Amino acid sequence: MDERPDGIVVRGAKAHISEAPLSNELVVVPCRAMREDDKAYAVSFGIQANAPGITFISAEPEMKEAGNFFDYPLSASVYINDALVIFDDVFIPNERIFLKGEWQFAGHIAHMFGNFHRLSAETYKAAELEMVAGAAALMAEYNGIAKAGHVRDKLTWLTYYTEAVEILGLAACEHSVSDPDSGLAYPNPMHANIAKLFFADNWHQAIKYVQDIAGGIVATAPSAADWDNPELRPLIEKYLGAKLGVPTEHRLRLIKLIRDLGSSYEDVITLHAEGSLAAQRLSILELADFDRYKAAAKRAARIADGSYDAIYSELPEFPPRV
Amino acid sequence: MDERPDGIVVRGAKAHISEAPLSNELVVVPCRAMREDDKAYAVSFGIQANAPGITFISAEPEMKEAGNFFDYPLSASVYINDALVIFDDVFIPNERIFLKGEWQFAGHIAHMFGNFHRLSAETYKAAELEMVAGAAALMAEYNGIAKAGHVRDKLTWLTYYTEAVEILGLAACEHSVSDPDSGLAYPNPMHANIAKLFFADNWHQAIKYVQDIAGGIVATAPSAADWDNPELRPLIEKYLGAKLGVPTEHRLRLIKLIRDLGSSYEDVITLHAEGSLAAQRLSILELADFDRYKAAAKRAARIADGSYDAIYSELPEFPPRV
Amino acid sequence: MDERPDGIVVRGAKAHISEAPLSNELVVVPCRAMREDDKAYAVSFGIQANAPGITFISAEPEMKEAGNFFDYPLSASVYINDALVIFDDVFIPNERIFLKGEWQFAGHIAHMFGNFHRLSAETYKAAELEMVAGAAALMAEYNGIAKAGHVRDKLTWLTYYTEAVEILGLAACEHSVSDPDSGLAYPNPMHANIAKLFFADNWHQAIKYVQDIAGGIVATAPSAADWDNPELRPLIEKYLGAKLGVPTEHRLRLIKLIRDLGSSYEDVITLHAEGSLAAQRLSILELADFDRYKAAAKRAARIADGSYDAIYSELPEFPPRV
Amino acid sequence: MDERPDGIVVRGAKAHISEAPLSNELVVVPCRAMREDDKAYAVSFGIQANAPGITFISAEPEMKEAGNFFDYPLSASVYINDALVIFDDVFIPNERIFLKGEWQFAGHIAHMFGNFHRLSAETYKAAELEMVAGAAALMAEYNGIAKAGHVRDKLTWLTYYTEAVEILGLAACEHSVSDPDSGLAYPNPMHANIAKLFFADNWHQAIKYVQDIAGGIVATAPSAADWDNPELRPLIEKYLGAKLGVPTEHRLRLIKLIRDLGSSYEDVITLHAEGSLAAQRLSILELADFDRYKAAAKRAARIADGSYDAIYSELPEFPPRV
């Protein structure tokens, strides 16, 4: 960061910025708490995305073929366009600057960003998980195994997973917290971090269950090109059919959706978008009220060490002395 | 059940009735939906616990020695007194009868009992888990390993587990459902079943973590009798001490609490009280809205089978055709 | 199957036949035990792969771009070419027929095929897992986090997983079983099924750990086309660099390998190739010696029900009566 | 340690020494690698257990009532008698001393002790797990639920767990290693650590499954005192019966065995005896051949950094260049 009378000039890069190349405006915030040494990095500002000096390098898309919704129903529909955003001496006018070296506030901004960002994950994941649970249930139906005990167990677990994410995310909103200085209401950080950790930590299990129900055909299904070949279609129709009454085409389309759901791309954005598992774990550990928890254990173990807790120290001895 | 003009005479037994021998009144309800064949079992009534013909056979308590709170801090404090309650031709007067052969209603009662009972588990388990998390955190502190990476990971997980149970249970209340006929509000069944399944399914993991942090001493600590022996106490003080500043007595008391927490008794009531894991799984499967889930998957996979869903069928095609 | 004096004529299909289109000869065996009703399907034979009437429909490959080993190091190198093999009135001469309606032997053949096939999975998986564990260890090194506690835990688990598969698979060979009729030695079925279940059941966990160590960059890395662009390479070099001394190119190549390892394709062939998890579970349940296990429990619980076990019933009472 | 012309005088304590008070001789070895500063602790010797100055403080037994094999079939039969062994100026004559301050060898001894000790765990655990699997299978039979899908899944998992421990432990013997100096053969350290980690890490899962199959009755069964009461026995016989043909007594005995198997004591000795999970993890990490693993990843990712591996660097490029 260089200072000028009318603004600052910044250089550096931000990684993994979803939809950045599709945006009109970029808002840049610090990514962590900072110390005085980090002063030059303690900047925050808004800037139009096409300002001179800004370069985007987009991620390689997961989709294999644009517009082929048969083979790639999800990856050909959704491309988040995560980009590496490079600032090469970009001028930021004073009126667009939020932070200019006040390193003491960097942590507040980063932390508050996290509070909202965790929840944003739950909002789309709750919907995506309905699709995952639905893909498993529909596949079980198409494969004629919906009544098998182990399939019912997996569908139950997928329901539990799906609904718990919805409940936990909603609770983060319903138990929102107000910032005492600004009056800004934000999602409950403990709730939002738990919701994010819960869904990200269990994603691979969910995908494993869907893949287990679907079968090896997810790896070996023929492509749209074969399906569209008039010589091959009758053979595929006959030999890769679903249970009676379900068109082979529906089964193939569902198989392709399940392949898309289990991609590296889906795995990795579930784990790392909106903060990695390690970030949620760190937040939860910092938010934990271990003094209260320890007071509960001390009361039960009858450890009298002179510490006081507003809840547990006020409870009567148990069982009451006779 | 035999009918008399002034009431009914019942015989049979109810198993695992917590606190039954300590109660003034017993309320008996059917345990499942019934068919016409089961008519004789479709009874519900209230009766004083000392009515002629009622016998209680209490469970063997987990506690080893009454009043020894050093060695058995939990099991000597809490004895739920689960009993087998036997009705040997017990007369129930008409005015105490709620159901007398109307088998069509048996399922409603059993189901509604479950709705409340699941939640009752969360209310006490949320408090118990604070004790479990606190025992782990305090033990880590006493053993001088609170900063170790794997210990911090375990404390984080225990916090996540503890707080998620609180959030899910509270959400069951906040999203309560009203019975259309009676106006009775009851805990949200999906939320309450998820909360119960979440805590019961993860209990053994929690106990494993606490035991891992505590060390083999949980299995090998000397008893109160040794601690109270003036010849032995100085040796125990010296060789089984905690980190500097923590009395050995406190460490021993905590070790004993952790032993009590990991008992078969605690394991089994966590799994089975308020309904087994299988009961929650069955409830969740029944409550699942698979039609909506499947609609989500069909939209994504572009499966047009003529089915309609109020949410997903109304959404625009994605991505929009250009 | 139609019979002719000089052979049989077969029609039908075999699904998921790895490398089939690359083979000179196909050997066809029954896939399960059969009953008399299934007689027409109880056939086994060898036939050249280009016999009249045979059609292959190959699976869609996972690779996105042939020959692009930078972006797709694994999927562009390995294409197993699983195919649907269709037999449309294919003539099999008598001298190539192994089974022709003798349905009683179908199960033996299917079962013996499984015994060898389970083990074949372990042989290549043991090598693949060295690559998985190595990718995680190298990524931790490149990202400069190899000393972090949670990373060391994950590397330990990956080593445990990798080495256990090797040990279990080798044990299946070392404890091979001989068929009493033919003298044929085959891999120990219990050992081979346990080895297969162990690696397939834990694969998603392994991939999750590798992805966790690697970071979101696995989903968002730029492609070879960007890397080969002389304007962009310096920017990528600078901003996506590894720790000091490691070329950015090496980090990118490793990131791409990790993306390939976590693909749907890898997930699904690990779960389903050489038999699904359900197939291994069924085999293990059938092979289990529950009589011996129960005898162990009866002895410990002092249940005298008159049953006899060659091991446990011969052991002395414990503790000995004084 | 003080030196005298005819021997040394030692003081200190060893914790958790199984069977120590029942032994004739004690062999003392260092518990870890040592540095020059630790010289005074680098001692190893044999001594008769009743030598002057030795005190044992035994662990509190898990058993509740000596000789009551109905209620405590396991804990009344087996008491390992782990003891804190205190040496208060115990004289060790020169001819019983193995190590006297040669700190450089402390680590070798500790490490070699671990090699054998890990395996000793597997030998008894393999037998104990047959009892655990048998208790589950028998309970499923007694409760009439052996055919339920989720029960079969649990029995399959318990078989897999039981047999894998046997296979891994046996492999540690079959792949034993010879010490180059002494010619001493010892269990393969990688195999033995994996076997120990595998069984200890999965124990709580096994117990959870057994408890799940057994039901809440494990927490609420009446005691032998009630069973022996002639007024109560007919009621217990009738209302706590097993499936037809199984005496209620057998069911009760099995329930009590399952309670004993799930005790804190069993949990903790499984986790911590013969070294904690952390000890096994550390050993596995140290034994891991990460150079070979990394070479596998480098070859696959085509990372040419000049490193050489005897296996992977000698393999041909794949796929071959055309």
Side-chain angles (χ1 to χ4, degrees):
Chain A
M1 174 184 72
D2 298 328
E3 290 202 55
R4 288 182 8 190
D6 52 345
I8 57 175
V9 174
V10 298
R11 72 190 65 87
K14 300 286 284 185
H16 314 312
I17 308 302
S18 299
E19 318 286 15
L22 311 178
S23 305
N24 293 322
E25 292 282 328
L26 302 175
V27 176
V28 172
V29 296
C31 63
R32 57 172 175 78
M34 291 185 171
R35 292 177 308 177
E36 194 161 4
D37 291 353
D38 305 314
K39 206 172 166 179
Y41 298 93
V43 290
S44 180
F45 54 84
I47 191 70
Q48 68 274 24
N50 61 350
I54 293 181
T55 302
F56 298 107
I57 304 180
S58 292
E60 185 195 1
E62 178 64 17
M63 85 176 105
K64 283 191 194 167
E65 191 187 345
N68 179 350
F69 300 126
F70 184 95
D71 283 331
Y72 316 111
L74 204 63
S75 58
S77 298
V78 182
Y79 170 42
I80 297 181
N81 202 338
D82 293 291
L84 178 66
V85 186
I86 296 154
F87 297 83
D88 185 14
D89 284 344
V90 178
F91 173 70
I92 316 292
N94 280 333
E95 65 273 20
R96 308 297 313 273
I97 297 173
F98 311 131
L99 201 72
K100 190 175 72 177
E102 299 87 349
W103 56 272
Q104 305 92 328
F105 297 98
H108 297 215
I109 296 177
H111 194 253
M112 191 57 82
F113 173 71
N115 286 336
F116 283 95
H117 202 33
R118 297 284 192 272
L119 184 66
S120 75
E122 285 121 43
T123 56
Y124 73 77
K125 200 52 89 174
E128 185 178 2
L129 293 185
E130 296 201 341
M131 180 171 46
V132 171
L138 200 58
M139 198 76 235
E141 183 187 314
Y142 286 3
N143 284 350
I145 57 171
K147 301 289 180 200
H150 78 96
V151 172
R152 284 166 57 95
D153 278 354
K154 290 179 177 76
L155 295 180
T156 302
W157 188 88
L158 288 165
T159 302
Y160 152 81
Y161 175 48
T162 299
E163 295 294 330
V165 170
E166 171 76 14
I167 296 170
L168 292 167
L170 194 56
C173 304
E174 292 169 340
H175 294 265
S176 67
V177 180
S178 284
D179 181 65
D181 295 328
S182 62
L184 175 74
Y186 57 91
N188 188 297
M190 179 63 97
H191 293 55
N193 276 287
I194 284 176
K196 171 67 173 63
L197 181 58
F198 179 78
F199 84 63
D201 206 31
N202 284 292
W203 171 262
H204 289 71
Q205 176 83 338
I207 291 305
K208 178 179 156 186
Y209 282 173
V210 180
Q211 292 170 337
D212 195 355
I213 288 171
I217 189 73
V218 173
T220 65
S223 65
D226 287 338
W227 176 248
D228 290 340
N229 179 324
E231 273 185 70
L232 298 181
R233 187 179 293 193
L235 297 171
I236 297 173
E237 285 268 25
K238 178 171 183 186
Y239 290 116
L240 295 182
K243 72 161 192 181
L244 203 68
V246 174
T248 299
E249 182 184 340
H250 291 184
R251 183 168 181 247
L252 285 175
R253 286 185 177 277
L254 185 59
I255 284 165
K256 302 289 187 171
L257 175 64
I258 290 172
R259 192 175 57 177
D260 260 4
L261 283 171
S263 71
S264 271
Y265 180 80
E266 289 291 325
D267 282 0
V268 172
I269 62 165
T270 304
L271 282 179
H272 288 287
E274 300 91 29
S276 66
L277 297 181
Q280 281 106 57
R281 291 196 173 112
L282 194 61
S283 297
I284 290 170
L285 193 64
E286 282 172 358
L287 291 163
D289 189 354
F290 282 117
D291 286 341
R292 190 176 80 235
Y293 299 166
K294 287 178 186 174
K298 287 175 188 172
R299 178 172 176 267
R302 294 171 168 77
I303 294 170
D305 64 0
S307 60
Y308 174 82
D309 178 76
I311 294 173
Y312 286 102
S313 304
E314 296 292 335
L315 292 172
E317 190 177 1
F318 189 80
R321 287 179 190 277
V322 190
Chain B
M1 174 184 72
D2 298 329
E3 290 203 55
R4 288 179 13 188
D6 52 346
I8 58 175
V9 175
V10 297
R11 73 191 65 86
K14 300 287 282 185
H16 314 312
I17 308 302
S18 299
E19 316 286 16
L22 311 178
S23 304
N24 293 323
E25 292 281 328
L26 302 175
V27 176
V28 171
V29 296
C31 63
R32 56 173 175 78
M34 291 183 173
R35 293 177 307 177
E36 194 160 4
D37 291 353
D38 306 314
K39 205 173 166 179
Y41 297 94
V43 290
S44 179
F45 54 83
I47 192 69
Q48 68 274 23
N50 61 351
I54 294 181
T55 302
F56 298 106
I57 303 181
S58 292
E60 186 195 1
E62 177 66 16
M63 85 176 108
K64 283 192 195 166
E65 191 186 345
N68 179 350
F69 300 126
F70 184 95
D71 284 330
Y72 316 111
L74 204 62
S75 58
S77 297
V78 182
Y79 170 41
I80 296 181
N81 203 337
D82 294 291
L84 179 65
V85 186
I86 296 154
F87 297 82
D88 186 14
D89 284 345
V90 177
F91 173 70
I92 316 292
N94 280 333
E95 66 272 19
R96 308 298 311 278
I97 299 173
F98 311 130
L99 200 73
K100 191 176 72 177
E102 298 87 349
W103 56 272
Q104 305 90 328
F105 297 98
H108 297 215
I109 297 178
H111 195 252
M112 191 56 83
F113 172 71
N115 286 336
F116 284 95
H117 203 32
R118 298 282 192 273
L119 184 67
S120 75
E122 285 121 43
T123 56
Y124 73 76
K125 201 51 89 175
E128 186 177 1
L129 293 185
E130 295 201 340
M131 179 168 49
V132 171
L138 199 58
M139 198 76 233
E141 182 187 316
Y142 287 2
N143 284 351
I145 56 172
K147 301 288 179 203
H150 78 96
V151 172
R152 284 166 56 94
D153 278 355
K154 291 181 177 73
L155 295 180
T156 301
W157 187 89
L158 288 165
T159 301
Y160 153 81
Y161 175 49
T162 299
E163 296 294 331
V165 170
E166 172 75 15
I167 295 170
L168 292 167
L170 194 57
C173 304
E174 292 169 342
H175 294 264
S176 66
V177 179
S178 285
D179 182 64
D181 295 328
S182 63
L184 176 73
Y186 56 90
N188 188 296
M190 180 63 98
H191 293 55
N193 275 288
I194 284 176
K196 171 68 175 61
L197 182 58
F198 178 79
F199 84 64
D201 205 33
N202 284 291
W203 171 262
H204 289 72
Q205 175 84 337
I207 292 304
K208 178 178 156 186
Y209 281 173
V210 180
Q211 292 169 338
D212 194 356
I213 289 171
I217 189 72
V218 173
T220 65
S223 66
D226 287 338
W227 176 249
D228 290 339
N229 179 324
E231 273 186 70
L232 297 182
R233 186 179 295 193
L235 297 171
I236 297 173
E237 285 268 25
K238 179 170 181 186
Y239 290 114
L240 295 182
K243 73 161 192 180
L244 202 68
V246 174
T248 299
E249 182 185 339
H250 290 183
R251 184 169 180 248
L252 285 175
R253 285 184 178 277
L254 185 59
I255 284 164
K256 302 290 187 170
L257 175 65
I258 290 171
R259 193 175 57 175
D260 260 3
L261 283 170
S263 71
S264 272
Y265 180 81
E266 290 290 327
D267 282 0
V268 172
I269 62 166
T270 303
L271 283 179
H272 288 286
E274 300 91 27
S276 66
L277 297 181
Q280 281 106 55
R281 291 195 174 112
L282 194 60
S283 297
I284 290 170
L285 193 64
E286 283 171 359
L287 292 163
D289 188 354
F290 282 117
D291 285 341
R292 191 176 79 234
Y293 301 166
K294 287 178 185 174
K298 287 175 190 173
R299 178 172 177 268
R302 293 170 170 77
I303 294 170
D305 64 0
S307 60
Y308 174 82
D309 177 76
I311 294 173
Y312 286 102
S313 304
E314 296 293 334
L315 292 173
E317 190 178 359
F318 189 80
R321 288 181 189 275
V322 190
Chain C
M1 174 184 72
D2 298 328
E3 290 202 57
R4 287 180 12 188
D6 52 345
I8 57 175
V9 174
V10 297
R11 70 191 67 87
K14 300 287 283 185
H16 313 312
I17 308 303
S18 299
E19 317 286 16
L22 312 179
S23 305
N24 293 323
E25 291 283 329
L26 302 176
V27 176
V28 172
V29 295
C31 63
R32 56 172 176 78
M34 292 184 172
R35 292 178 308 178
E36 194 161 4
D37 292 353
D38 306 314
K39 204 172 166 180
Y41 297 94
V43 290
S44 180
F45 54 84
I47 191 71
Q48 70 273 23
N50 61 351
I54 293 181
T55 303
F56 299 106
I57 304 181
S58 292
E60 185 194 2
E62 177 66 16
M63 85 176 107
K64 284 190 193 168
E65 191 186 345
N68 179 350
F69 301 126
F70 184 95
D71 284 330
Y72 317 111
L74 204 62
S75 58
S77 299
V78 182
Y79 170 42
I80 297 180
N81 202 337
D82 294 291
L84 179 66
V85 185
I86 296 155
F87 297 83
D88 186 14
D89 284 344
V90 177
F91 172 72
I92 316 292
N94 280 332
E95 65 272 21
R96 308 298 312 275
I97 298 173
F98 311 131
L99 201 72
K100 190 176 72 175
E102 299 87 349
W103 56 271
Q104 304 92 327
F105 297 98
H108 296 215
I109 297 178
H111 194 253
M112 191 57 82
F113 173 72
N115 286 337
F116 283 95
H117 202 32
R118 299 283 192 273
L119 183 67
S120 75
E122 285 121 44
T123 56
Y124 72 77
K125 201 52 89 174
E128 185 177 3
L129 293 184
E130 296 202 340
M131 179 170 46
V132 171
L138 200 57
M139 198 76 234
E141 183 187 315
Y142 286 1
N143 284 351
I145 56 172
K147 301 288 180 201
H150 77 96
V151 171
R152 283 166 57 93
D153 278 354
K154 290 181 178 75
L155 295 180
T156 302
W157 187 88
L158 288 164
T159 302
Y160 152 82
Y161 174 50
T162 298
E163 295 294 331
V165 170
E166 172 75 16
I167 295 170
L168 292 167
L170 194 56
C173 305
E174 292 169 340
H175 294 263
S176 66
V177 180
S178 285
D179 182 64
D181 294 329
S182 63
L184 175 74
Y186 56 91
N188 188 296
M190 179 64 97
H191 293 55
N193 276 286
I194 284 176
K196 172 67 174 62
L197 181 58
F198 179 78
F199 84 64
D201 205 31
N202 284 292
W203 171 263
H204 289 71
Q205 176 84 338
I207 292 304
K208 177 179 157 187
Y209 282 173
V210 180
Q211 292 170 336
D212 195 355
I213 288 171
I217 188 73
V218 173
T220 65
S223 65
D226 287 337
W227 176 248
D228 290 338
N229 180 324
E231 273 185 69
L232 297 182
R233 186 180 293 192
L235 297 172
I236 297 173
E237 284 267 24
K238 178 170 183 187
Y239 290 115
L240 294 183
K243 72 161 191 178
L244 202 68
V246 174
T248 299
E249 182 185 338
H250 291 183
R251 183 169 180 247
L252 285 175
R253 285 185 177 278
L254 185 59
I255 284 164
K256 303 288 187 171
L257 175 65
I258 290 172
R259 192 174 57 176
D260 260 3
L261 283 171
S263 71
S264 271
Y265 180 80
E266 290 290 326
D267 282 359
V268 171
I269 61 165
T270 304
L271 283 179
H272 288 287
E274 300 90 28
S276 65
L277 297 181
Q280 282 106 55
R281 290 195 174 111
L282 194 61
S283 297
I284 290 170
L285 192 65
E286 282 171 0
L287 292 163
D289 189 354
F290 282 117
D291 286 340
R292 191 177 79 233
Y293 300 166
K294 286 178 186 174
K298 287 175 190 173
R299 177 173 178 265
R302 293 170 170 77
I303 293 170
D305 64 0
S307 59
Y308 174 81
D309 178 77
I311 295 174
Y312 287 101
S313 303
E314 296 293 334
L315 292 173
E317 190 178 1
F318 189 81
R321 288 181 189 276
V322 190
Chain D
M1 173 185 72
D2 299 328
E3 291 202 54
R4 287 180 11 187
D6 52 345
I8 57 175
V9 175
V10 298
R11 71 192 66 87
K14 299 287 283 185
H16 314 313
I17 307 304
S18 299
E19 317 286 16
L22 311 178
S23 305
N24 293 324
E25 292 282 327
L26 302 175
V27 175
V28 172
V29 296
C31 63
R32 56 173 175 78
M34 291 184 172
R35 292 178 308 178
E36 193 159 6
D37 291 353
D38 305 314
K39 203 173 168 180
Y41 297 93
V43 290
S44 180
F45 55 84
I47 192 71
Q48 70 273 25
N50 61 351
I54 293 181
T55 303
F56 298 106
I57 304 180
S58 291
E60 184 194 2
E62 178 65 17
M63 85 176 106
K64 284 190 194 168
E65 192 186 345
N68 178 351
F69 299 126
F70 184 95
D71 284 330
Y72 316 111
L74 203 63
S75 58
S77 299
V78 182
Y79 170 42
I80 297 181
N81 202 338
D82 294 291
L84 179 66
V85 185
I86 296 155
F87 297 83
D88 186 15
D89 284 345
V90 177
F91 173 71
I92 315 293
N94 280 334
E95 66 273 19
R96 308 298 312 276
I97 298 174
F98 310 130
L99 201 72
K100 189 176 74 176
E102 298 87 348
W103 56 271
Q104 304 91 327
F105 298 97
H108 297 215
I109 297 177
H111 195 252
M112 192 55 83
F113 172 72
N115 286 337
F116 284 95
H117 202 33
R118 298 282 192 273
L119 183 67
S120 75
E122 286 121 43
T123 56
Y124 73 78
K125 200 54 88 175
E128 185 177 3
L129 293 184
E130 296 202 339
M131 180 170 45
V132 171
L138 200 57
M139 198 76 234
E141 182 187 315
Y142 286 2
N143 284 350
I145 56 173
K147 301 289 180 201
H150 77 96
V151 171
R152 283 166 57 93
D153 278 355
K154 289 179 177 76
L155 295 180
T156 301
W157 187 89
L158 288 165
T159 302
Y160 153 82
Y161 175 49
T162 298
E163 295 295 330
V165 170
E166 172 75 15
I167 296 170
L168 292 167
L170 193 57
C173 305
E174 292 169 340
H175 294 263
S176 67
V177 180
S178 285
D179 182 64
D181 296 328
S182 63
L184 175 74
Y186 55 91
N188 187 296
M190 179 62 98
H191 293 55
N193 276 287
I194 284 176
K196 171 68 174 61
L197 181 58
F198 179 78
F199 83 65
D201 206 33
N202 284 293
W203 171 263
H204 288 71
Q205 177 83 338
I207 292 302
K208 177 178 156 187
Y209 283 172
V210 180
Q211 292 170 337
D212 194 356
I213 288 171
I217 189 73
V218 174
T220 65
S223 66
D226 287 338
W227 176 249
D228 290 339
N229 180 323
E231 274 186 70
L232 297 182
R233 186 180 294 193
L235 297 171
I236 297 173
E237 285 267 24
K238 179 170 182 187
Y239 291 115
L240 295 182
K243 72 160 191 179
L244 203 68
V246 174
T248 300
E249 182 184 338
H250 291 183
R251 184 169 181 246
L252 285 175
R253 286 185 177 277
L254 185 59
I255 285 165
K256 303 289 186 171
L257 175 65
I258 290 172
R259 192 173 58 176
D260 261 3
L261 283 171
S263 71
S264 271
Y265 180 81
E266 290 291 327
D267 282 359
V268 171
I269 62 165
T270 304
L271 283 179
H272 289 286
E274 301 90 28
S276 65
L277 297 182
Q280 280 106 56
R281 291 194 174 112
L282 194 61
S283 297
I284 291 170
L285 193 63
E286 282 171 0
L287 292 163
D289 188 354
F290 282 117
D291 285 342
R292 191 178 79 234
Y293 300 166
K294 287 178 186 174
K298 286 175 191 173
R299 178 172 177 269
R302 294 169 168 77
I303 293 170
D305 63 1
S307 60
Y308 174 82
D309 178 76
I311 295 173
Y312 287 101
S313 304
E314 296 293 335
L315 292 173
E317 190 178 0
F318 189 81
R321 287 180 191 276
V322 190

